[in-house]
Amino acid sequence: GAGVSQSPSNKVTEKGKDVELRCDPISGHTALYWYRQSLGQGLEFLIYFQGNSAPDKSGLPSDRFSAERTGGSVSTLTIQRTQQEDSAVYLCASSLNPPAAYEQYFGPGTRLTVT
Amino acid sequence: KQEVTQIPAALSVPEGENLVLNCSFTDSAIYNLQWFRQDPGKGLTSLLLIQSSQREQTSGRLNASLDKSSGRSTLYIAASQPGDSATYLCAVMTDKLIFGTGTRLQVFP
């Protein structure tokens, strides 16, 4: 079956612009995660969704970052007023419930470059 | 605060060698541990998941062990091949995955 998909695969934007990144999880997966991988840094957690609600937003680096999930499926990560330090690969993952018991399957990522 | 460390950071070996990649974590209160592979410019591919109650998992030439009490996991790769070249990441699951910084592996012919 289809895996996790993300779009766009690459995004170049000017500093100060807003961007939206999209994630389509595996069908039937109720848990959805966003992570960020910056150059020279490891993978860091951003936000977790269980269904449409986000019980853990602790990884969002600033109030410029927000995310939503609709219909228990597609999720959108929005970065407002982008800064150069936002340049990174943004990865989305999904898993069955309860997420602690199951593997997380990752999408190919969106490479964001802020110029 | 949970911290995950991987040693070595990089490894270059001739094909055919058996390899051991190490992962250590500071807090044993985990649900599971997952090993991933990342190829350049690509996402993560899940290799093995070990539940906290398990000691090891095997898939083909890969074997992962978990010693939760000592905060360690090892990934054993048997008879390495050039196609195994990638970055290997371990991650522990608490309420989210916490990743190590990875081991960059190169297997040359």
Coordinates of all heavy atoms in Angstrom, one line a residue, chain B residues 8-82:
Chain B
P8 N 30.2 4.4 16.6 CA 31.0 5.6 16.3 C 30.1 6.5 15.4 O 29.0 6.2 15.0 CB 32.1 5.0 15.4 CG 31.5 3.8 14.7 CD 30.5 3.2 15.7
A9 N 30.6 7.7 15.2 CA 29.9 8.7 14.4 C 30.0 8.3 12.9 O 29.1 8.6 12.1 CB 30.4 10.1 14.7
A10 N 31.2 7.7 12.6 CA 31.4 7.3 11.2 C 32.2 6.0 11.2 O 33.0 5.8 12.1 CB 32.1 8.4 10.4
L11 N 32.0 5.3 10.1 CA 32.7 4.0 10.0 C 32.8 3.6 8.5 O 31.9 3.8 7.8 CB 31.8 2.9 10.7 CG 32.3 1.5 10.9 CD1 33.5 1.5 11.8 CD2 31.2 0.7 11.5
S12 N 34.1 3.2 8.2 CA 34.3 2.9 6.8 C 35.0 1.5 6.8 O 36.1 1.3 7.4 CB 35.2 3.9 6.1 OG 35.5 3.6 4.8
V13 N 34.4 0.5 6.1 CA 34.9 -0.8 6.2 C 34.8 -1.5 4.8 O 34.0 -1.1 3.9 CB 34.0 -1.7 7.1 CG1 34.1 -1.1 8.6 CG2 32.6 -1.8 6.7
P14 N 35.7 -2.5 4.5 CA 35.5 -3.3 3.3 C 34.4 -4.2 3.4 O 34.0 -4.7 4.5 CB 36.9 -4.0 3.2 CG 37.3 -4.2 4.7 CD 36.8 -3.0 5.4
E15 N 33.8 -4.5 2.2 CA 32.6 -5.4 2.2 C 33.0 -6.7 2.8 O 34.1 -7.2 2.7 CB 32.0 -5.5 0.9 CG 32.8 -6.3 -0.2 CD 32.0 -6.4 -1.5 OE1 30.8 -6.8 -1.4 OE2 32.6 -6.1 -2.5
G16 N 32.0 -7.4 3.4 CA 32.2 -8.7 4.0 C 32.3 -8.7 5.5 O 32.2 -9.7 6.1
E17 N 32.7 -7.5 6.0 CA 32.9 -7.4 7.4 C 31.6 -7.5 8.2 O 30.6 -7.0 7.7 CB 33.7 -6.2 7.8 CG 35.2 -6.2 7.5 CD 36.0 -5.3 8.4 OE1 35.4 -4.6 9.2 OE2 37.2 -5.3 8.1
N18 N 31.7 -8.0 9.4 CA 30.6 -7.9 10.4 C 30.7 -6.7 11.2 O 31.8 -6.4 11.7 CB 30.5 -9.2 11.3 CG 30.4 -10.5 10.5 OD1 29.7 -10.5 9.5 ND2 31.1 -11.5 10.9
L19 N 29.6 -6.0 11.4 CA 29.7 -4.6 12.0 C 28.8 -4.6 13.3 O 27.8 -5.2 13.3 CB 29.2 -3.6 11.1 CG 29.9 -3.5 9.7 CD1 29.1 -2.5 8.8 CD2 31.3 -3.2 9.8
V20 N 29.2 -3.7 14.2 CA 28.4 -3.4 15.4 C 28.3 -1.9 15.5 O 29.3 -1.2 15.6 CB 29.1 -4.1 16.7 CG1 28.2 -3.6 17.9 CG2 29.1 -5.6 16.6
L21 N 27.1 -1.5 15.5 CA 26.8 -0.1 15.8 C 26.2 0.1 17.2 O 25.3 -0.7 17.5 CB 25.8 0.5 14.7 CG 26.2 0.3 13.3 CD1 25.2 0.9 12.4 CD2 27.6 0.8 13.0
N22 N 26.6 1.1 17.9 CA 26.2 1.2 19.3 C 25.3 2.4 19.5 O 25.5 3.4 18.9 CB 27.4 1.3 20.2 CG 28.3 0.1 20.2 OD1 27.9 -0.9 20.7 ND2 29.5 0.2 19.6
C23 N 24.3 2.2 20.4 CA 23.4 3.3 20.8 C 23.2 3.2 22.3 O 23.0 2.1 22.9 CB 22.1 3.0 20.1 SG 20.7 4.1 20.6
S24 N 23.3 4.4 23.0 CA 23.1 4.4 24.4 C 22.1 5.5 24.7 O 22.0 6.5 24.0 CB 24.4 4.6 25.2 OG 25.0 5.8 24.8
F25 N 21.3 5.3 25.8 CA 20.3 6.3 26.2 C 20.4 6.4 27.7 O 20.7 5.5 28.4 CB 18.9 5.9 25.7 CG 18.5 4.5 25.9 CD1 17.7 4.1 27.0 CD2 18.9 3.5 25.0 CE1 17.3 2.8 27.2 CE2 18.5 2.2 25.2 CZ 17.7 1.8 26.3
T26 N 20.0 7.6 28.2 CA 20.2 7.9 29.6 C 19.0 7.6 30.5 O 19.2 7.4 31.7 CB 20.5 9.4 29.7 OG1 19.4 10.2 29.1 CG2 21.8 9.8 29.1
D27 N 17.8 7.4 29.9 CA 16.7 7.1 30.8 C 16.0 5.8 30.3 O 15.6 5.7 29.1 CB 15.6 8.3 30.7 CG 14.5 8.1 31.6 OD1 14.2 7.0 32.1 OD2 13.8 9.1 31.8
S28 N 16.0 4.8 31.2 CA 15.5 3.5 30.7 C 14.0 3.4 30.6 O 13.4 2.4 30.2 CB 16.0 2.5 31.7 OG 15.4 2.7 33.0
A29 N 13.3 4.5 30.9 CA 11.8 4.5 30.8 C 11.4 4.7 29.4 O 11.0 5.9 29.0 CB 11.2 5.6 31.8
I30 N 11.5 3.7 28.6 CA 11.1 3.8 27.2 C 10.1 2.7 26.8 O 10.0 1.7 27.5 CB 12.4 3.6 26.3 CG1 13.0 2.2 26.4 CG2 13.4 4.7 26.6 CD1 14.0 1.9 25.4
Y31 N 9.3 3.0 25.8 CA 8.4 2.0 25.3 C 9.0 1.0 24.4 O 8.7 -0.1 24.4 CB 7.2 2.7 24.6 CG 6.3 3.4 25.6 CD1 6.3 4.8 25.6 CD2 5.4 2.8 26.4 CE1 5.4 5.5 26.5 CE2 4.6 3.4 27.3 CZ 4.6 4.8 27.3 OH 3.8 5.5 28.2
N32 N 9.8 1.6 23.5 CA 10.5 0.7 22.5 C 11.7 1.5 22.0 O 11.9 2.7 22.3 CB 9.6 0.3 21.4 CG 9.0 1.4 20.6 OD1 9.7 2.3 20.1 ND2 7.7 1.4 20.4
L33 N 12.5 0.8 21.2 CA 13.7 1.4 20.5 C 13.6 1.0 19.0 O 13.3 -0.2 18.7 CB 15.0 0.9 21.1 CG 16.3 1.6 20.6 CD1 17.3 1.7 21.7 CD2 16.9 0.7 19.5
Q34 N 13.8 2.0 18.2 CA 13.7 1.7 16.7 C 15.0 2.1 16.1 O 15.6 3.1 16.3 CB 12.5 2.5 16.2 CG 12.0 2.0 14.9 CD 10.6 2.7 14.6 OE1 10.0 3.4 15.4 NE2 10.1 2.5 13.4
W35 N 15.5 1.2 15.1 CA 16.6 1.5 14.3 C 16.1 1.9 12.9 O 15.2 1.2 12.3 CB 17.6 0.3 14.2 CG 18.4 0.1 15.4 CD1 18.2 -0.7 16.5 CD2 19.7 0.7 15.6 NE1 19.2 -0.6 17.4 CE2 20.2 0.2 16.9 CE3 20.5 1.6 14.9 CZ2 21.4 0.6 17.4 CZ3 21.8 1.9 15.4 CH2 22.2 1.5 16.7
F36 N 16.8 2.9 12.4 CA 16.4 3.4 11.0 C 17.6 3.5 10.2 O 18.8 3.6 10.6 CB 15.8 4.8 11.1 CG 14.5 5.0 11.8 CD1 14.5 5.2 13.2 CD2 13.3 4.9 11.1 CE1 13.3 5.3 13.8 CE2 12.1 5.0 11.8 CZ 12.1 5.2 13.1
R37 N 17.4 3.5 8.9 CA 18.4 3.8 7.9 C 18.0 5.1 7.1 O 16.8 5.2 6.8 CB 18.5 2.6 7.0 CG 19.3 2.8 5.7 CD 19.3 1.7 4.8 NE 20.0 2.1 3.6 CZ 20.8 1.2 2.9 NH1 21.0 0.0 3.3 NH2 21.4 1.7 1.8
Q38 N 19.0 5.9 6.9 CA 18.7 7.1 6.1 C 19.7 7.2 5.0 O 20.9 7.3 5.2 CB 18.7 8.4 6.9 CG 18.3 9.6 6.1 CD 18.1 10.8 7.0 OE1 18.8 11.0 8.0 NE2 17.2 11.7 6.7
D39 N 19.3 7.2 3.7 CA 20.1 7.4 2.6 C 20.2 8.9 2.2 O 19.2 9.6 2.5 CB 19.6 6.6 1.4 CG 19.7 5.1 1.6 OD1 20.9 4.6 1.5 OD2 18.8 4.5 2.0
P40 N 21.3 9.4 1.7 CA 21.4 10.8 1.4 C 20.2 11.4 0.7 O 19.8 10.9 -0.4 CB 22.7 10.9 0.6 CG 23.5 9.7 1.0 CD 22.5 8.6 1.2
G41 N 19.7 12.5 1.2 CA 18.6 13.1 0.5 C 17.2 12.4 0.6 O 16.3 12.8 -0.1
K42 N 17.2 11.4 1.4 CA 16.0 10.6 1.5 C 15.4 10.6 2.9 O 16.1 11.1 3.9 CB 16.3 9.1 1.2 CG 17.0 8.9 -0.1 CD 16.0 8.9 -1.3 CE 16.8 8.6 -2.6 NZ 15.9 8.2 -3.7
G43 N 14.2 10.1 3.1 CA 13.6 10.0 4.4 C 14.2 8.8 5.2 O 15.2 8.2 4.8
L44 N 13.5 8.4 6.2 CA 14.0 7.3 7.1 C 13.3 6.0 6.7 O 12.1 6.0 6.5 CB 13.7 7.6 8.5 CG 14.3 8.9 9.1 CD1 13.9 9.1 10.5 CD2 15.8 8.9 9.0
T45 N 14.0 4.9 6.7 CA 13.5 3.6 6.5 C 13.6 2.8 7.8 O 14.7 2.7 8.3 CB 14.2 2.9 5.4 OG1 14.1 3.6 4.2 CG2 13.6 1.5 5.2
S46 N 12.5 2.4 8.3 CA 12.5 1.6 9.6 C 13.2 0.2 9.3 O 12.8 -0.5 8.4 CB 11.1 1.4 10.1 OG 11.1 0.6 11.3
L47 N 14.1 -0.1 10.2 CA 14.8 -1.4 10.0 C 14.3 -2.4 11.0 O 13.9 -3.5 10.7 CB 16.3 -1.2 10.2 CG 17.0 -0.3 9.2 CD1 18.5 -0.1 9.7 CD2 17.0 -0.9 7.8
L48 N 14.3 -2.1 12.3 CA 13.9 -3.0 13.4 C 13.3 -2.2 14.5 O 13.7 -1.0 14.8 CB 15.1 -3.8 13.9 CG 15.7 -4.8 13.0 CD1 17.1 -5.2 13.5 CD2 14.8 -6.0 12.9
L49 N 12.3 -2.7 15.1 CA 11.7 -2.1 16.3 C 11.8 -3.2 17.4 O 11.4 -4.4 17.2 CB 10.3 -1.7 16.1 CG 9.5 -1.1 17.3 CD1 8.6 0.0 16.9 CD2 8.7 -2.2 18.0
I50 N 12.3 -2.8 18.6 CA 12.4 -3.7 19.7 C 11.5 -3.1 20.8 O 11.7 -2.0 21.3 CB 13.8 -3.8 20.3 CG1 14.8 -4.1 19.2 CG2 13.9 -5.0 21.3 CD1 16.3 -4.2 19.6
Q51 N 10.5 -3.9 21.3 CA 9.7 -3.4 22.4 C 10.5 -3.5 23.7 O 11.5 -4.2 23.8 CB 8.4 -4.3 22.5 CG 7.5 -4.3 21.3 CD 6.8 -3.0 21.1 OE1 6.9 -2.1 21.9 NE2 6.2 -2.9 19.9
S52 N 10.1 -2.7 24.7 CA 10.9 -2.6 25.9 C 11.0 -4.0 26.6 O 11.9 -4.2 27.4 CB 10.3 -1.6 26.8 OG 9.0 -1.9 27.2
S53 N 10.0 -4.8 26.4 CA 10.0 -6.2 27.0 C 10.9 -7.2 26.3 O 11.1 -8.3 26.8 CB 8.6 -6.7 27.1 OG 8.0 -6.8 25.9
Q54 N 11.4 -6.8 25.1 CA 12.1 -7.7 24.3 C 13.6 -7.5 24.5 O 14.1 -6.4 24.9 CB 11.8 -7.6 22.8 CG 10.3 -7.9 22.5 CD 9.9 -7.6 21.1 OE1 10.3 -6.6 20.5 NE2 9.1 -8.5 20.5
R55 N 14.4 -8.5 24.1 CA 15.9 -8.5 24.2 C 16.5 -8.3 22.8 O 17.6 -7.7 22.7 CB 16.4 -9.7 24.8 CG 15.9 -10.0 26.2 CD 16.6 -9.1 27.2 NE 18.0 -9.4 27.4 CZ 18.8 -8.8 28.2 NH1 18.3 -7.8 29.0 NH2 20.0 -9.1 28.4
E56 N 15.9 -8.8 21.7 CA 16.5 -8.6 20.4 C 15.4 -8.8 19.3 O 14.3 -9.4 19.6 CB 17.6 -9.6 20.2 CG 17.3 -11.0 20.2 CD 18.6 -11.9 19.9 OE1 19.5 -11.4 19.3 OE2 18.5 -13.1 20.3
Q57 N 15.8 -8.4 18.1 CA 15.0 -8.6 16.9 C 15.9 -8.8 15.8 O 17.0 -8.3 15.7 CB 14.1 -7.3 16.6 CG 12.9 -7.2 17.5 CD 11.8 -8.2 17.1 OE1 11.7 -8.7 15.9 NE2 10.9 -8.5 18.0
T58 N 15.5 -9.7 14.9 CA 16.3 -10.0 13.7 C 15.5 -9.8 12.4 O 14.3 -10.1 12.4 CB 16.8 -11.5 13.8 OG1 17.6 -11.6 15.0 CG2 17.6 -11.9 12.6
S59 N 16.2 -9.3 11.4 CA 15.7 -9.2 10.1 C 16.8 -9.4 9.1 O 17.6 -8.5 8.9 CB 15.0 -7.8 9.9 OG 14.5 -7.7 8.5
G60 N 16.8 -10.6 8.4 CA 17.8 -10.8 7.5 C 19.2 -10.8 8.1 O 19.5 -11.5 9.1
R61 N 20.1 -9.9 7.5 CA 21.5 -9.8 8.0 C 21.6 -8.9 9.2 O 22.6 -8.6 9.8 CB 22.4 -9.3 6.9 CG 22.5 -10.3 5.8 CD 23.5 -9.8 4.7 NE 23.0 -8.6 4.0 CZ 23.5 -7.4 4.2 NH1 24.5 -7.1 5.0 NH2 23.0 -6.4 3.5
L62 N 20.4 -8.3 9.7 CA 20.4 -7.4 10.8 C 19.9 -8.0 12.1 O 18.9 -8.8 12.0 CB 19.5 -6.2 10.4 CG 19.8 -5.4 9.2 CD1 18.8 -4.3 9.0 CD2 21.2 -4.9 9.2
N63 N 20.6 -7.7 13.1 CA 20.2 -8.1 14.5 C 20.3 -7.0 15.4 O 21.4 -6.4 15.5 CB 21.0 -9.3 14.9 CG 20.6 -9.8 16.3 OD1 21.1 -9.2 17.3 ND2 19.8 -10.8 16.5
A64 N 19.3 -6.6 16.1 CA 19.4 -5.6 17.1 C 19.1 -6.1 18.5 O 18.1 -6.9 18.7 CB 18.4 -4.4 16.8
S65 N 19.9 -5.7 19.5 CA 19.7 -6.1 20.8 C 19.3 -4.9 21.7 O 19.6 -3.8 21.3 CB 20.9 -6.8 21.4 OG 22.0 -5.9 21.5
L66 N 18.7 -5.2 22.8 CA 18.3 -4.1 23.7 C 18.5 -4.5 25.2 O 18.1 -5.6 25.6 CB 16.8 -3.7 23.6 CG 16.2 -2.7 24.6 CD1 16.9 -1.4 24.4 CD2 14.7 -2.6 24.4
D67 N 19.3 -3.7 25.9 CA 19.5 -3.9 27.3 C 19.0 -2.7 28.0 O 19.7 -1.7 28.1 CB 21.0 -4.2 27.6 CG 21.2 -4.5 29.1 OD1 20.3 -4.1 29.9 OD2 22.3 -5.0 29.5
K68 N 17.7 -2.7 28.3 CA 17.1 -1.5 28.8 C 17.7 -1.0 30.1 O 17.8 0.2 30.3 CB 15.6 -1.7 29.0 CG 14.7 -0.4 29.0 CD 13.3 -0.7 29.0 CE 12.8 -1.1 30.3 NZ 11.3 -0.9 30.5
S69 N 18.0 -1.9 31.0 CA 18.5 -1.5 32.3 C 19.8 -0.8 32.2 O 20.1 0.1 33.0 CB 18.6 -2.8 33.2 OG 19.6 -3.7 32.6
S70 N 20.6 -1.1 31.3 CA 21.9 -0.4 31.1 C 21.9 0.7 30.1 O 22.8 1.4 29.9 CB 23.0 -1.4 30.7 OG 22.8 -2.0 29.5
G71 N 20.7 0.8 29.4 CA 20.5 1.9 28.5 C 21.3 1.7 27.2 O 22.0 2.7 26.7
R72 N 21.3 0.5 26.7 CA 22.1 0.2 25.5 C 21.4 -0.6 24.5 O 20.6 -1.5 24.8 CB 23.4 -0.5 25.9 CG 24.4 0.3 26.7 CD 25.6 -0.5 27.1 NE 26.5 0.3 28.0 CZ 27.6 -0.2 28.5 NH1 28.0 -1.4 28.2 NH2 28.3 0.6 29.3
S73 N 21.7 -0.3 23.2 CA 21.3 -1.2 22.1 C 22.4 -1.3 21.1 O 23.2 -0.4 21.0 CB 20.0 -0.6 21.4 OG 19.6 -1.3 20.3
T74 N 22.5 -2.4 20.5 CA 23.5 -2.6 19.4 C 22.7 -3.1 18.2 O 21.8 -3.9 18.2 CB 24.6 -3.6 19.8 OG1 24.0 -4.9 20.0 CG2 25.3 -3.1 21.0
L75 N 23.2 -2.6 17.0 CA 22.8 -3.1 15.7 C 23.9 -3.9 15.1 O 25.0 -3.3 14.9 CB 22.3 -2.0 14.8 CG 21.9 -2.4 13.4 CD1 20.6 -3.2 13.5 CD2 21.7 -1.2 12.5
Y76 N 23.7 -5.1 14.8 CA 24.7 -6.0 14.2 C 24.4 -6.2 12.8 O 23.3 -6.6 12.5 CB 24.8 -7.3 15.0 CG 25.7 -8.3 14.5 CD1 27.1 -8.3 14.9 CD2 25.3 -9.4 13.7 CE1 28.0 -9.2 14.4 CE2 26.2 -10.3 13.2 CZ 27.5 -10.3 13.6 OH 28.4 -11.2 13.2
I77 N 25.3 -5.9 11.9 CA 25.2 -6.1 10.5 C 26.1 -7.2 10.0 O 27.4 -7.0 10.1 CB 25.4 -4.8 9.7 CG1 24.5 -3.7 10.2 CG2 25.2 -5.1 8.2 CD1 24.7 -2.4 9.5
A78 N 25.6 -8.3 9.6 CA 26.5 -9.4 9.1 C 26.8 -9.3 7.7 O 26.0 -8.8 6.8 CB 25.7 -10.7 9.4
A79 N 28.0 -9.7 7.3 CA 28.5 -9.7 5.9 C 28.1 -8.5 5.2 O 27.4 -8.5 4.2 CB 27.9 -11.0 5.3
S80 N 28.7 -7.3 5.6 CA 28.3 -6.0 5.1 C 28.5 -6.0 3.5 O 29.4 -6.6 3.0 CB 29.1 -4.9 5.8 OG 30.4 -5.1 5.6
Q81 N 27.7 -5.2 2.9 CA 27.7 -5.0 1.5 C 27.7 -3.5 1.1 O 27.3 -2.7 1.9 CB 26.4 -5.6 0.8 CG 26.2 -7.1 1.1 CD 24.9 -7.6 0.7 OE1 24.1 -6.8 0.2 NE2 24.7 -8.9 0.8
P82 N 28.2 -3.1 0.0 CA 28.3 -1.7 -0.4 C 26.9 -1.0 -0.3 O 26.7 0.1 0.0 CB 28.8 -1.7 -1.8 CG 29.7 -2.9 -1.9 CD 29.0 -3.9 -1.0

